[in-house]
Each structure stands twice: as C-alpha cells, then as structure tokens.
Coordinates of all heavy atoms in Angstrom, one line a residue:
M1 N 79.4 120.3 85.5 CA 79.1 118.9 85.7 C 79.9 118.4 86.9 O 81.1 118.6 87.0 CB 79.6 118.2 84.4 CG 79.2 116.8 84.3 SD 79.4 116.2 82.6 CE 80.1 114.6 82.9
E2 N 79.3 117.6 87.7 CA 79.9 117.1 88.9 C 80.7 115.8 88.6 O 80.3 115.0 87.9 CB 78.8 116.8 89.9 CG 79.3 116.7 91.3 CD 78.2 116.6 92.3 OE1 77.3 117.4 92.2 OE2 78.2 115.6 93.1
K3 N 81.9 115.7 89.2 CA 82.7 114.6 89.0 C 82.3 113.4 89.9 O 81.9 113.7 91.0 CB 84.2 114.9 89.3 CG 84.8 115.8 88.3 CD 86.3 115.9 88.5 CE 86.8 116.9 87.5 NZ 87.7 116.3 86.5
T4 N 82.4 112.2 89.4 CA 82.1 111.1 90.2 C 83.3 110.8 91.1 O 84.4 111.3 90.9 CB 81.8 109.8 89.3 OG1 83.0 109.6 88.6 CG2 80.7 110.1 88.3
E5 N 83.1 109.9 92.1 CA 84.1 109.5 93.0 C 85.3 108.9 92.2 O 86.5 109.1 92.5 CB 83.6 108.6 94.0 CG 84.6 108.4 95.2 CD 84.0 107.7 96.4 OE1 82.8 107.9 96.6 OE2 84.8 107.0 97.1
K6 N 84.9 108.1 91.2 CA 86.0 107.4 90.4 C 86.8 108.5 89.6 O 88.0 108.4 89.6 CB 85.3 106.4 89.4 CG 86.3 105.7 88.5 CD 85.6 104.7 87.6 CE 86.5 104.0 86.7 NZ 85.8 103.0 85.9
G7 N 86.1 109.5 89.1 CA 86.8 110.5 88.4 C 87.7 111.3 89.3 O 88.8 111.7 88.9
K8 N 87.3 111.5 90.5 CA 88.2 112.2 91.5 C 89.4 111.4 91.8 O 90.5 112.0 91.9 CB 87.4 112.5 92.8 CG 86.3 113.5 92.6 CD 85.5 113.7 93.9 CE 84.3 114.6 93.7 NZ 83.4 114.7 94.9
I9 N 89.2 110.1 92.0 CA 90.4 109.3 92.3 C 91.4 109.3 91.1 O 92.6 109.4 91.3 CB 89.9 107.8 92.6 CG1 89.2 107.8 93.9 CG2 91.1 106.9 92.6 CD1 88.5 106.5 94.2
I10 N 90.8 109.2 89.9 CA 91.7 109.2 88.7 C 92.4 110.5 88.6 O 93.6 110.6 88.4 CB 90.9 109.0 87.4 CG1 90.4 107.5 87.4 CG2 91.7 109.3 86.2 CD1 89.4 107.2 86.3
E11 N 91.8 111.6 88.9 CA 92.4 112.9 88.8 C 93.5 113.1 89.9 O 94.5 113.7 89.6 CB 91.3 114.0 89.0 CG 91.8 115.4 88.8 CD 90.7 116.4 88.8 OE1 89.7 116.3 88.1 OE2 90.8 117.4 89.6
D12 N 93.3 112.5 91.1 CA 94.2 112.6 92.2 C 95.5 111.8 91.9 O 96.6 112.2 92.3 CB 93.6 112.2 93.5 CG 92.6 113.2 94.0 OD1 92.6 114.3 93.5 OD2 91.9 112.8 94.9
Y13 N 95.4 110.7 91.3 CA 96.5 109.7 91.2 C 97.1 109.6 89.8 O 98.1 108.9 89.6 CB 96.1 108.3 91.6 CG 95.9 108.3 93.1 CD1 94.7 108.5 93.7 CD2 97.0 108.0 94.0 CE1 94.5 108.5 95.1 CE2 96.8 108.0 95.3 CZ 95.6 108.2 95.9 OH 95.4 108.2 97.3
R14 N 96.6 110.4 88.8 CA 97.1 110.3 87.4 C 98.6 110.8 87.4 O 98.9 111.7 88.1 CB 96.2 110.9 86.4 CG 96.1 112.4 86.6 CD 95.1 112.9 85.6 NE 94.9 114.3 85.8 CZ 94.0 115.0 85.2 NH1 93.0 114.4 84.5 NH2 93.9 116.3 85.4
V15 N 99.3 110.3 86.4 CA 100.7 110.7 86.2 C 100.8 111.9 85.3 O 101.6 112.7 85.5 CB 101.5 109.5 85.7 CG1 103.0 109.8 85.5 CG2 101.4 108.3 86.7
H16 N 99.9 111.9 84.3 CA 99.9 113.0 83.3 C 98.4 113.3 83.0 O 97.5 112.6 83.4 CB 100.7 112.7 82.1 CG 100.4 111.5 81.4 ND1 99.3 111.4 80.5 CD2 100.9 110.2 81.5 CE1 99.2 110.1 80.1 NE2 100.2 109.4 80.6
D17 N 98.2 114.4 82.2 CA 96.8 114.8 82.0 C 95.9 113.8 81.3 O 94.7 113.8 81.6 CB 96.9 116.1 81.1 CG 97.4 117.3 81.8 OD1 97.5 117.2 83.1 OD2 97.8 118.3 81.2
Q18 N 96.4 113.0 80.4 CA 95.5 112.0 79.7 C 95.5 110.6 80.4 O 95.0 109.7 79.8 CB 96.0 111.9 78.3 CG 95.9 113.2 77.5 CD 94.5 113.8 77.4 OE1 93.6 113.0 77.2 NE2 94.4 115.1 77.6
D19 N 96.1 110.5 81.5 CA 96.3 109.2 82.2 C 95.0 108.7 82.8 O 94.4 109.4 83.6 CB 97.4 109.4 83.3 CG 97.7 108.1 84.0 OD1 97.3 107.0 83.5 OD2 98.2 108.1 85.1
T20 N 94.6 107.5 82.5 CA 93.5 106.9 83.1 C 93.8 105.5 83.5 O 92.9 104.9 84.2 CB 92.2 106.9 82.2 OG1 92.5 106.2 81.0 CG2 91.7 108.3 81.9
G21 N 94.9 104.9 83.1 CA 95.2 103.5 83.4 C 96.5 103.2 83.9 O 96.9 102.0 83.8
S22 N 97.3 104.1 84.4 CA 98.6 103.8 84.9 C 98.4 102.9 86.2 O 97.4 102.9 86.8 CB 99.4 105.1 85.3 OG 98.8 105.7 86.3
A23 N 99.5 102.3 86.6 CA 99.5 101.4 87.8 C 99.0 102.2 89.0 O 98.3 101.7 89.8 CB 100.8 100.8 88.0
D24 N 99.4 103.5 89.1 CA 99.0 104.3 90.2 C 97.5 104.4 90.3 O 96.9 104.3 91.4 CB 99.6 105.7 90.1 CG 101.1 105.7 89.9 OD1 101.6 104.8 89.2 OD2 101.8 106.6 90.4
V25 N 96.9 104.8 89.2 CA 95.5 105.0 89.2 C 94.7 103.6 89.4 O 93.8 103.6 90.2 CB 95.0 105.5 87.8 CG1 93.5 105.6 87.6 CG2 95.6 106.9 87.6
Q26 N 95.2 102.6 88.8 CA 94.6 101.3 89.0 C 94.6 100.8 90.5 O 93.7 100.3 91.0 CB 95.2 100.2 88.1 CG 94.9 100.4 86.7 CD 95.6 99.3 85.8 OE1 95.3 98.1 86.1 NE2 96.4 99.7 84.9
V27 N 95.8 101.0 91.1 CA 95.9 100.7 92.5 C 94.9 101.5 93.4 O 94.3 101.0 94.3 CB 97.4 100.9 93.0 CG1 97.5 100.8 94.5 CG2 98.3 99.8 92.4
A28 N 94.8 102.8 93.1 CA 93.9 103.6 93.9 C 92.5 103.2 93.7 O 91.7 103.2 94.7 CB 94.1 105.1 93.5
L29 N 92.1 102.9 92.5 CA 90.7 102.5 92.2 C 90.4 101.1 92.9 O 89.3 100.9 93.5 CB 90.4 102.4 90.7 CG 90.4 103.7 90.0 CD1 90.3 103.5 88.5 CD2 89.2 104.5 90.4
L30 N 91.4 100.2 92.8 CA 91.2 98.9 93.4 C 91.1 99.1 95.0 O 90.3 98.4 95.6 CB 92.3 98.0 93.1 CG 92.2 97.2 91.7 CD1 93.5 96.5 91.4 CD2 91.1 96.3 91.7
T31 N 91.9 99.9 95.5 CA 91.9 100.2 97.0 C 90.5 100.7 97.4 O 89.9 100.2 98.4 CB 93.0 101.2 97.4 OG1 94.2 100.6 97.0 CG2 92.9 101.4 98.9
D32 N 89.9 101.6 96.6 CA 88.6 102.1 96.9 C 87.5 101.0 96.9 O 86.7 100.9 97.8 CB 88.2 103.2 95.9 CG 86.9 103.9 96.3 OD1 86.8 104.3 97.4 OD2 86.0 103.9 95.4
R33 N 87.6 100.2 95.9 CA 86.6 99.0 95.7 C 86.8 98.0 96.8 O 85.9 97.5 97.4 CB 86.8 98.4 94.4 CG 86.2 99.3 93.2 CD 86.3 98.6 91.9 NE 85.6 97.3 91.9 CZ 85.8 96.4 91.0 NH1 86.8 96.5 90.1 NH2 85.1 95.3 91.0
I34 N 88.1 97.8 97.2 CA 88.4 96.8 98.3 C 87.8 97.3 99.6 O 87.2 96.5 100.4 CB 89.9 96.6 98.4 CG1 90.4 95.7 97.2 CG2 90.3 95.9 99.7 CD1 91.9 95.7 97.0
Q35 N 87.9 98.6 99.9 CA 87.4 99.2 101.1 C 85.9 99.0 101.2 O 85.3 98.7 102.2 CB 87.8 100.6 101.3 CG 89.3 100.8 101.6 CD 89.8 102.2 101.5 OE1 89.1 103.1 101.1 NE2 91.0 102.4 102.0
L36 N 85.2 99.3 100.0 CA 83.8 99.2 100.0 C 83.3 97.7 100.2 O 82.4 97.5 100.9 CB 83.2 99.7 98.6 CG 83.3 101.2 98.4 CD1 82.9 101.5 96.9 CD2 82.4 101.9 99.4
L37 N 84.0 96.8 99.5 CA 83.6 95.4 99.7 C 83.9 94.9 101.1 O 83.2 94.0 101.6 CB 84.4 94.6 98.6 CG 83.8 93.2 98.3 CD1 82.3 93.3 98.0 CD2 84.5 92.7 97.1
T38 N 85.0 95.4 101.7 CA 85.3 95.0 103.1 C 84.2 95.3 104.0 O 83.7 94.6 104.9 CB 86.6 95.6 103.5 OG1 87.7 95.2 102.6 CG2 87.0 95.2 104.9
G39 N 83.6 96.6 103.8 CA 82.5 97.0 104.6 C 81.3 96.1 104.4 O 80.5 95.8 105.3
H40 N 81.0 95.8 103.2 CA 79.9 94.9 102.8 C 80.1 93.5 103.5 O 79.1 93.0 104.0 CB 79.8 94.7 101.3 CG 78.9 93.6 100.8 ND1 77.5 93.8 100.8 CD2 79.1 92.3 100.5 CE1 77.0 92.7 100.4 NE2 77.9 91.8 100.2
L41 N 81.3 93.0 103.5 CA 81.5 91.6 104.0 C 81.4 91.6 105.6 O 81.1 90.6 106.1 CB 82.8 91.1 103.6 CG 82.8 90.6 102.1 CD1 84.2 90.3 101.7 CD2 81.9 89.4 101.9
Q42 N 81.6 92.8 106.2 CA 81.4 92.8 107.6 C 80.0 92.7 108.0 O 79.6 92.2 109.0 CB 82.1 94.1 108.2 CG 83.6 94.1 108.2 CD 84.2 95.4 108.6 OE1 83.5 96.4 108.7 NE2 85.5 95.4 108.8
K43 N 79.1 93.3 107.1 CA 77.7 93.2 107.4 C 77.1 91.8 106.9 O 76.1 91.4 107.5 CB 76.9 94.3 106.6 CG 77.2 95.7 107.1 CD 76.5 96.7 106.3 CE 77.0 98.1 106.6 NZ 76.6 99.1 105.6
H44 N 77.7 91.2 105.9 CA 77.2 90.0 105.3 C 78.3 88.9 105.3 O 78.9 88.6 104.2 CB 76.7 90.2 103.9 CG 75.7 91.4 103.8 ND1 74.4 91.2 104.2 CD2 75.8 92.7 103.4 CE1 73.7 92.3 104.0 NE2 74.6 93.2 103.6
P45 N 78.7 88.3 106.4 CA 79.8 87.5 106.5 C 79.7 86.2 105.7 O 80.7 85.5 105.4 CB 80.0 87.2 108.0 CG 78.6 87.5 108.6 CD 78.0 88.5 107.7
K46 N 78.4 85.8 105.3 CA 78.3 84.5 104.6 C 78.3 84.7 103.1 O 78.0 83.8 102.3 CB 77.0 83.9 105.0 CG 77.0 83.4 106.5 CD 75.8 82.6 106.9 CE 75.9 82.2 108.3 NZ 74.7 81.4 108.7
D47 N 78.6 85.9 102.6 CA 78.6 86.2 101.2 C 79.9 85.7 100.6 O 80.8 86.5 100.4 CB 78.3 87.7 100.9 CG 78.2 88.0 99.5 OD1 78.3 87.2 98.6 OD2 77.8 89.2 99.2
H48 N 80.0 84.5 100.3 CA 81.3 83.9 99.8 C 81.7 84.3 98.4 O 82.9 84.4 98.1 CB 81.2 82.4 100.0 CG 81.0 81.9 101.4 ND1 81.9 82.1 102.4 CD2 80.0 81.3 102.0 CE1 81.5 81.6 103.5 NE2 80.3 81.1 103.3
N49 N 80.7 84.6 97.6 CA 81.0 85.0 96.2 C 81.7 86.4 96.2 O 82.7 86.6 95.5 CB 79.8 85.1 95.3 CG 79.2 83.7 95.0 OD1 80.0 82.8 94.9 ND2 77.9 83.6 95.0
S50 N 81.2 87.3 97.1 CA 81.9 88.6 97.2 C 83.2 88.5 97.9 O 84.2 89.2 97.5 CB 81.0 89.5 98.0 OG 79.8 89.8 97.3
R51 N 83.4 87.5 98.8 CA 84.7 87.3 99.4 C 85.7 86.9 98.4 O 86.9 87.3 98.4 CB 84.6 86.3 100.5 CG 85.9 86.1 101.3 CD 85.7 85.2 102.5 NE 84.5 85.5 103.3 CZ 84.4 86.6 104.2 NH1 85.5 87.3 104.4 NH2 83.3 86.8 104.9
R52 N 85.3 86.0 97.5 CA 86.2 85.6 96.4 C 86.6 86.7 95.5 O 87.7 86.9 95.1 CB 85.5 84.5 95.6 CG 86.4 84.0 94.4 CD 85.7 82.8 93.7 NE 86.6 82.3 92.6 CZ 86.7 82.8 91.4 NH1 85.9 83.8 91.0 NH2 87.5 82.3 90.5
G53 N 85.6 87.6 95.2 CA 85.9 88.8 94.4 C 86.9 89.7 95.1 O 87.8 90.3 94.5
L54 N 86.7 89.8 96.4 CA 87.6 90.6 97.2 C 89.1 90.1 97.1 O 90.0 90.8 96.9 CB 87.2 90.7 98.6 CG 88.1 91.4 99.6 CD1 88.2 92.9 99.3 CD2 87.6 91.2 101.0
L55 N 89.2 88.8 97.3 CA 90.5 88.2 97.2 C 91.2 88.3 95.8 O 92.4 88.5 95.7 CB 90.4 86.7 97.6 CG 90.1 86.4 99.0 CD1 89.9 84.9 99.3 CD2 91.1 86.9 100.0
I56 N 90.4 88.3 94.8 CA 90.9 88.5 93.4 C 91.4 89.9 93.3 O 92.5 90.2 92.7 CB 89.8 88.1 92.4 CG1 89.6 86.6 92.4 CG2 90.2 88.6 91.0 CD1 88.4 86.2 91.6
M57 N 90.6 90.9 93.8 CA 91.0 92.3 93.7 C 92.3 92.6 94.5 O 93.2 93.3 94.1 CB 89.9 93.2 94.2 CG 88.8 93.4 93.2 SD 87.7 94.7 93.8 CE 86.4 93.7 94.6
V58 N 92.4 92.0 95.7 CA 93.6 92.1 96.5 C 94.8 91.6 95.8 O 95.9 92.2 95.8 CB 93.4 91.5 97.9 CG1 94.7 91.4 98.7 CG2 92.4 92.2 98.7
G59 N 94.7 90.4 95.2 CA 95.8 89.8 94.4 C 96.2 90.7 93.2 O 97.4 90.9 93.0
R60 N 95.2 91.3 92.5 CA 95.5 92.1 91.4 C 96.2 93.4 91.9 O 97.2 93.8 91.2 CB 94.2 92.5 90.7 CG 94.3 93.4 89.5 CD 95.0 92.6 88.4 NE 95.2 93.5 87.2 CZ 96.3 93.5 86.5 NH1 97.2 92.7 86.7 NH2 96.4 94.4 85.5
R61 N 95.8 94.0 93.0 CA 96.4 95.2 93.5 C 97.9 94.8 93.9 O 98.8 95.6 93.6 CB 95.7 95.7 94.7 CG 96.3 96.9 95.3 CD 95.5 97.5 96.4 NE 95.6 96.7 97.6 CZ 95.0 97.0 98.8 NH1 94.3 98.0 98.9 NH2 95.1 96.1 99.8
R62 N 98.1 93.6 94.5 CA 99.4 93.2 94.9 C 100.3 93.1 93.6 O 101.5 93.5 93.7 CB 99.3 91.9 95.6 CG 100.6 91.2 95.9 CD 101.7 91.9 96.8 NE 101.2 92.9 97.7 CZ 101.9 94.0 97.9 NH1 103.0 94.3 97.3 NH2 101.4 94.9 98.8
Q63 N 99.8 92.5 92.5 CA 100.6 92.4 91.3 C 101.0 93.8 90.8 O 102.1 94.1 90.4 CB 99.8 91.7 90.2 CG 99.6 90.2 90.5 CD 98.7 89.6 89.4 OE1 98.0 90.2 88.7 NE2 98.8 88.3 89.3
L64 N 100.0 94.7 90.8 CA 100.3 96.1 90.3 C 101.3 96.8 91.2 O 102.2 97.5 90.7 CB 99.0 96.9 90.2 CG 98.0 96.5 89.1 CD1 96.7 97.1 89.4 CD2 98.6 97.0 87.8
L65 N 101.2 96.6 92.5 CA 102.2 97.2 93.4 C 103.6 96.6 93.2 O 104.6 97.3 93.3 CB 101.7 97.1 94.9 CG 100.6 98.0 95.3 CD1 100.1 97.6 96.6 CD2 101.1 99.5 95.3
N66 N 103.6 95.3 93.0 CA 104.9 94.7 92.7 C 105.6 95.2 91.5 O 106.8 95.5 91.4 CB 104.8 93.2 92.6 CG 104.6 92.5 94.0 OD1 104.9 93.1 95.0 ND2 104.1 91.3 94.0
H67 N 104.7 95.4 90.4 CA 105.2 96.0 89.2 C 105.8 97.4 89.4 O 106.8 97.7 88.9 CB 104.1 96.0 88.1 CG 104.4 96.8 86.9 ND1 105.4 96.5 86.0 CD2 103.9 98.0 86.6 CE1 105.4 97.5 85.1 NE2 104.6 98.4 85.4
L68 N 105.0 98.2 90.1 CA 105.4 99.5 90.4 C 106.7 99.6 91.2 O 107.6 100.4 90.9 CB 104.2 100.3 91.1 CG 104.2 101.8 91.0 CD1 104.2 102.2 89.5 CD2 102.9 102.3 91.7
R69 N 106.8 98.7 92.2 CA 108.0 98.7 93.0 C 109.2 98.3 92.2 O 110.3 98.9 92.4 CB 107.8 97.7 94.2 CG 108.9 97.8 95.2 CD 108.8 96.7 96.3 NE 108.9 95.4 95.7 CZ 108.2 94.4 96.0 NH1 107.3 94.5 97.0 NH2 108.3 93.2 95.5
N70 N 109.1 97.4 91.3 CA 110.2 97.0 90.5 C 110.6 97.9 89.4 O 111.7 98.0 89.0 CB 109.9 95.6 89.9 CG 109.8 94.5 90.9 OD1 110.4 94.6 92.0 ND2 109.1 93.5 90.7
S71 N 109.6 98.7 88.9 CA 109.9 99.6 87.8 C 110.2 101.0 88.3 O 111.2 101.6 87.8 CB 108.7 99.6 86.8 OG 107.6 100.1 87.4
E72 N 109.4 101.6 89.2 CA 109.6 103.0 89.7 C 109.4 103.0 91.2 O 108.3 103.2 91.6 CB 108.7 103.9 88.9 CG 109.0 103.9 87.4 CD 108.4 105.2 86.8 OE1 108.4 106.2 87.4 OE2 108.0 105.0 85.6
L73 N 110.5 102.9 91.9 CA 110.4 102.8 93.4 C 109.8 104.1 94.0 O 109.0 104.0 94.9 CB 111.7 102.5 94.0 CG 111.8 102.2 95.4 CD1 110.9 101.0 95.7 CD2 113.2 102.0 95.9
G74 N 110.1 105.3 93.5 CA 109.6 106.5 94.0 C 108.1 106.6 93.9 O 107.4 107.0 94.9
R75 N 107.5 106.3 92.7 CA 106.1 106.3 92.6 C 105.4 105.3 93.5 O 104.4 105.5 94.0 CB 105.7 106.0 91.1 CG 105.8 107.2 90.2 CD 105.6 107.0 88.8 NE 104.4 106.2 88.5 CZ 104.2 105.6 87.3 NH1 105.1 105.7 86.3 NH2 103.2 104.8 87.1
Y76 N 106.0 104.1 93.6 CA 105.5 103.0 94.5 C 105.4 103.6 95.9 O 104.4 103.4 96.6 CB 106.4 101.8 94.5 CG 106.2 100.8 95.6 CD1 105.1 99.9 95.5 CD2 107.0 100.7 96.7 CE1 104.8 99.0 96.5 CE2 106.7 99.8 97.7 CZ 105.7 99.0 97.6 OH 105.4 98.1 98.6
R77 N 106.5 104.1 96.4 CA 106.5 104.7 97.8 C 105.4 105.8 98.0 O 104.7 105.8 99.0 CB 107.9 105.2 98.2 CG 108.9 104.1 98.4 CD 110.2 104.6 98.8 NE 111.1 103.5 99.0 CZ 112.4 103.7 98.9 NH1 113.0 104.8 98.6 NH2 113.2 102.6 99.2
N78 N 105.3 106.6 97.0 CA 104.3 107.7 97.0 C 102.9 107.1 97.1 O 102.1 107.5 97.9 CB 104.4 108.6 95.8 CG 103.5 109.8 95.9 OD1 103.2 110.3 97.0 ND2 103.1 110.2 94.7
V79 N 102.6 106.1 96.3 CA 101.2 105.6 96.2 C 100.9 104.8 97.5 O 99.8 105.0 98.1 CB 101.1 104.6 95.0 CG1 99.8 103.8 95.1 CG2 101.1 105.4 93.7
V80 N 101.9 104.1 98.0 CA 101.6 103.3 99.3 C 101.4 104.3 100.4 O 100.5 104.1 101.3 CB 102.8 102.4 99.6 CG1 102.8 101.8 101.0 CG2 102.9 101.2 98.6
K81 N 102.2 105.4 100.5 CA 102.0 106.3 101.6 C 100.7 107.1 101.5 O 100.0 107.2 102.5 CB 103.2 107.3 101.5 CG 103.2 108.4 102.6 CD 104.4 109.3 102.5 CE 104.3 110.3 103.6 NZ 105.4 111.3 103.4
R82 N 100.3 107.5 100.3 CA 99.1 108.2 100.1 C 97.8 107.4 100.4 O 96.8 107.9 100.9 CB 99.0 108.8 98.7 CG 99.9 110.0 98.5 CD 99.8 110.5 97.1 NE 98.5 111.1 96.8 CZ 98.1 111.5 95.6 NH1 98.8 111.3 94.6 NH2 96.9 112.0 95.5
L83 N 97.9 106.1 100.0 CA 96.8 105.2 100.3 C 96.8 104.6 101.7 O 95.8 104.0 102.1 CB 96.7 104.1 99.2 CG 96.4 104.5 97.8 CD1 96.6 103.4 96.9 CD2 95.0 105.1 97.7
G84 N 97.9 104.7 102.4 CA 97.9 104.2 103.7 C 98.0 102.7 103.8 O 97.5 102.0 104.7
L85 N 98.7 102.1 102.8 CA 98.8 100.7 102.7 C 100.0 100.2 103.5 O 101.0 100.9 103.6 CB 99.0 100.2 101.2 CG 97.8 100.6 100.3 CD1 98.2 100.2 98.9 CD2 96.6 99.9 100.7
R86 N 100.0 99.0 104.0 CA 101.1 98.4 104.7 C 102.0 97.7 103.8 O 101.5 96.9 103.0 CB 100.6 97.5 105.8 CG 99.9 98.1 106.9 CD 99.5 97.1 108.0 NE 98.5 96.2 107.3 CZ 98.2 95.0 107.8 NH1 98.8 94.5 108.8 NH2 97.3 94.3 107.2
K87 N 103.3 97.9 103.8 CA 104.2 97.0 103.1 C 105.6 97.4 103.5 O 106.0 98.5 103.5 CB 104.1 97.3 101.6 CG 104.9 96.4 100.7 CD 104.7 94.9 101.0 CE 105.7 94.1 100.2 NZ 105.6 92.7 100.5

C-alpha cells in the first residue's frame, strides 16, 4: 500500500512510533498546506477567502512553534532547520 504525502510527512516528523499529533508533526503538516496555498494565491490573487485561511494557518503554526520553543528548544531548532523556516 502506497503512503500518501501526509503519511510521509507524519512518518518523517513524528517523535515516537504512535505519534500523529505532536507539535512537530502539526507544524510540518501546516507548512506543507501553507506552501500549497501560497502557490494557489500566486495564480489567483483575488481569492480573499483562501488568503484568510492562509493567514489563520500561519498564525496557528506560529503558536505551535512558540509552544515548542518554550517547552523543548532542541526539538524547536530541529523542526525549524528541517523545514527551512526563518526565525
């Protein structure tokens, strides 16, 4: 059975074998969705509803990264480096 892209991201960023919802995984999934939506908005600049959704996702990712930075700095640095995020 072939893994979906979401499944691959979860497998790459999980903390332990049964992990599907840690902050690391959530940040990676949000980053993937943000990149897809950014490409969509470059083609469709007047799509304001999608732009609002993008801003909500970016804010949610920022909250998760702040939580990770305050709780486990090593994991935060690893996730930011692997995803290529600026901070």
Side-chain angles (χ1 to χ4, degrees):
M1 188 165 141
E2 198 172 312
K3 290 192 183 244
T4 63
E5 190 166 332
K6 182 177 178 180
K8 290 176 187 174
I9 292 172
I10 291 172
E11 189 174 305
D12 287 346
Y13 288 91
R14 66 184 178 193
V15 179
H16 54 81
D17 290 341
Q18 301 299 317
D19 180 20
T20 58
S22 67
D24 307 37
V25 172
Q26 290 182 56
V27 168
L29 290 172
L30 279 170
T31 299
D32 185 56
R33 289 181 60 201
I34 287 168
Q35 289 172 348
L36 289 173
L37 198 50
T38 300
H40 168 79
L41 286 170
Q42 287 175 349
K43 293 177 190 168
H44 307 281
K46 293 184 179 181
D47 188 352
H48 298 294
N49 290 325
S50 293
R51 186 173 312 280
R52 180 177 184 272
L54 174 66
L55 291 174
I56 291 169
M57 281 190 264
V58 169
R60 180 70 181 140
R61 181 177 70 179
R62 170 63 23 220
Q63 287 177 341
L64 288 165
L65 284 170
N66 285 342
H67 165 72
L68 203 53
R69 186 184 65 219
N70 292 334
S71 62
E72 298 198 33
L73 189 59
R75 278 176 45 199
Y76 166 78
R77 288 182 177 156
N78 185 34
V79 168
V80 168
K81 183 178 178 183
R82 287 179 66 190
L83 291 172
L85 301 175
R86 293 179 295 158
K87 184 60 183 172

